């Protein structure tokens, strides 16, 4: 059985891009987005669960989020979870609804967020390079075992490199778009 599997490498490279997109969703850009509260977990009924399993999150305006809590007894814990999530948000409790105004981002905060985007992108690039290294190692292993010829190994290494270059280009495009959105340019 050959150690090299192009479909697996492709899936793992794609996974690095998807992980980056998921990481970037949680970054605040000054506009209300329902994904902003995705990282928030709340303790309800004696268990930790994602906020979206205890309430409905919506964005009725561009600068306001609304959290409709399903069970009145969970309003306090959800309010506390949002305040302590490190997102810089202060909910206003209105019955079973929490209204969350999205404050303007300061220039300093925008620059911090842009740096964070760069860090996330670098983490994704490293993941893609690690997948490339695994692929190259597997090709060398297959050649040593005699399962593929030297020409096949070189041809496949070129494919792996093209896949890596395309993935890194995707990562750069995603991070550049997010930086542009954050910096408002």
């Amino acid at each position: 059985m050959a150690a090299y599997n192009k479909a697996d490498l492709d899936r793992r490279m794609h996974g690095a891009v998807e992980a980056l997109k998921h990481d970037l969703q949680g970054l605040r850009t000054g506009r209300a987005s329902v994904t902003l509260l995705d990282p928030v977990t709340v303790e309800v009924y004696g268990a930790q669960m994602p906020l979206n399993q205890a309430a409905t999150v919506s964005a009725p305006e561009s600068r306001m989020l609304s959290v409709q809590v399903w069970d009145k007894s969970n309003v306090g814990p959800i309010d506390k979870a949002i305040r302590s999530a490190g997102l810089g948000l202060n909910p206003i409790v209105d019955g079973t609804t929490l209204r969350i105004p999205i404050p303007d981002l300061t220039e300093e905060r925008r620059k911090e967020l842009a740096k964070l985007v760069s860090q996330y992108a670098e983490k994704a690039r490293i993941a893609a390079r690690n997948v490339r290294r695994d692929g190259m190692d597997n090709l060398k292993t297959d050649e040593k075992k005699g399962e593929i010829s030297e020409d096949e190994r070189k041809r496949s290494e070129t494919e792996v490199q093209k896949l890596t270059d395309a993935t890194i280009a995707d990562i750069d495009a995603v991070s550049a778009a997010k930086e542009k959105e954050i910096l408002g340019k």
Side-chain angles (χ1 to χ4, degrees):
M1 179 68 196
Y4 172 71
N5 180 338
K6 185 174 186 231
D8 182 55
L9 289 181
D10 200 25
R11 180 189 57 76
R12 289 171 57 200
M13 292 265 186
H14 184 70
V17 175
E18 290 307 306
L20 173 66
K21 287 179 181 175
H22 181 75
D23 285 345
L24 295 180
Q25 276 182 338
L27 290 183
R28 209 172 79 206
T29 59
R31 286 200 315 269
S33 165
V34 293
T35 57
L36 189 60
L37 297 177
D38 281 356
V40 177
T41 56
V42 60
E43 186 171 332
V44 290
Y45 313 119
Q48 286 286 342
M49 63 174 61
L51 176 67
N52 61 12
Q53 290 182 10
T56 305
V57 180
S58 61
E61 301 169 32
S62 65
R63 315 239 358 111
M64 176 80 66
L65 283 176
S66 175
V67 179
Q68 182 64 49
V69 183
W70 300 331
D71 182 346
K72 192 175 178 127
S73 66
N74 293 335
V75 172
I78 290 175
D79 178 41
K80 184 178 168 197
I82 293 170
R83 287 179 192 277
S84 61
L87 297 170
L89 300 174
N90 295 308
I92 301 162
V93 179
D94 182 13
T96 57
T97 304
L98 299 174
R99 288 196 319 270
I100 307 168
I102 308 296
D104 280 327
L105 291 174
T106 64
E107 191 59 35
E108 187 179 319
R109 181 72 177 136
R110 286 179 195 274
K111 286 179 181 162
E112 284 174 24
L113 289 173
K115 277 186 195 164
L116 203 54
V117 169
S118 298
Q119 289 171 5
Y120 285 153
E122 187 55 30
K123 194 170 81 174
R125 281 188 212 97
I126 289 169
R129 288 187 204 112
N130 287 341
V131 173
R132 177 188 63 194
R133 186 194 60 226
D134 291 349
M136 297 294 194
D137 290 350
N138 290 343
L139 285 167
K140 287 176 186 148
T141 302
D142 288 351
E143 184 187 9
K144 279 182 189 153
K145 288 183 190 169
E147 293 179 9
I148 60 172
S149 68
E150 183 181 351
D151 288 346
E152 284 178 85
R153 176 183 59 84
K154 287 182 177 174
R155 193 171 32 256
S156 294
E157 281 179 350
T158 305
E159 278 181 13
V160 170
Q161 187 58 50
K162 282 181 182 169
L163 180 62
T164 305
D165 292 344
T167 302
I168 287 181
D170 287 350
I171 290 168
D172 291 344
V174 167
S175 64
K178 189 66 173 189
E179 275 187 36
K180 187 177 175 186
E181 185 183 340
I182 286 171
L183 297 172
K185 291 179 181 163

